[in-house]
Amino acid sequence: MSATNTTNDDASVVVVVNAGEIPKEIVEEKCAPLYKSIIRRKKAIDLRATGDSKNDKLVAFLSCQSKATKTCIPENKEYAQCHKSFMGMGSYNGKRDCKKELSELYACIVRNGTN
């Protein structure tokens, strides 16, 4: 996972992922179409952009992987809770995005897939 820190303020930390960093060997067969939809674009995905179409495609893939492999369930639930709150109220626990929760889900999927 790539990360760029523009300042020390957590709100301005830009966290991006490149879906091409996800090894295709770890992709579950039923999640392959979702994987293909995110790697086809070859663009970095800004994890702060909750609700963006690229972000949503990444979330769909990660959620599929989590369910198919029965791993990262707490991280998947935490992100889903954050997303629901953010879309409904515009914040989650005082934060304006779900980058931390999505970053943790992404890292968990990659880590568990490569073990």
Side-chain angles (χ1 to χ4, degrees):
M1 177 172 46
S2 303
T4 304
N5 185 349
T6 53
T7 70
N8 291 333
D9 179 7
D10 186 50
S12 64
V13 174
V14 178
V15 180
V16 296
V17 298
N18 179 343
E21 294 175 352
I22 301 170
K24 78 177 184 184
E25 322 59 78
I26 74 165
V27 177
E28 293 293 315
E29 187 176 338
K30 71 185 212 172
C31 304
L34 296 167
Y35 175 73
K36 288 176 185 172
S37 76
I38 59 174
I39 63 161
R40 181 177 14 181
R41 298 203 161 119
K42 299 186 190 228
K43 292 185 179 176
I45 301 170
D46 183 351
L47 300 186
R48 297 174 305 165
T50 304
D52 178 71
S53 66
K54 288 187 292 185
N55 193 297
D56 287 348
K57 287 179 182 183
L58 176 64
V59 169
F61 166 70
L62 295 175
S63 182
C64 180
Q65 280 288 113
S66 175
K67 291 173 185 170
T69 60
K70 296 179 178 29
T71 59
C72 308
I73 304 299
E75 291 85 352
N76 195 14
K77 285 182 179 178
E78 184 70 20
Y79 176 78
Q81 187 175 5
C82 178
H83 183 85
K84 182 178 178 181
S85 178
F86 178 79
M87 297 310 273
M89 298 178 359
S91 68
Y92 177 68
N93 292 339
K95 297 181 298 183
R96 303 287 299 159
D97 59 48
C98 298
K99 72 177 178 231
K100 176 182 177 276
E101 292 77 11
L102 186 51
S103 179
E104 289 173 356
L105 176 58
Y106 175 86
C108 182
I109 293 295
V110 171
R111 181 177 60 248
N112 282 298
T114 56
N115 287 340

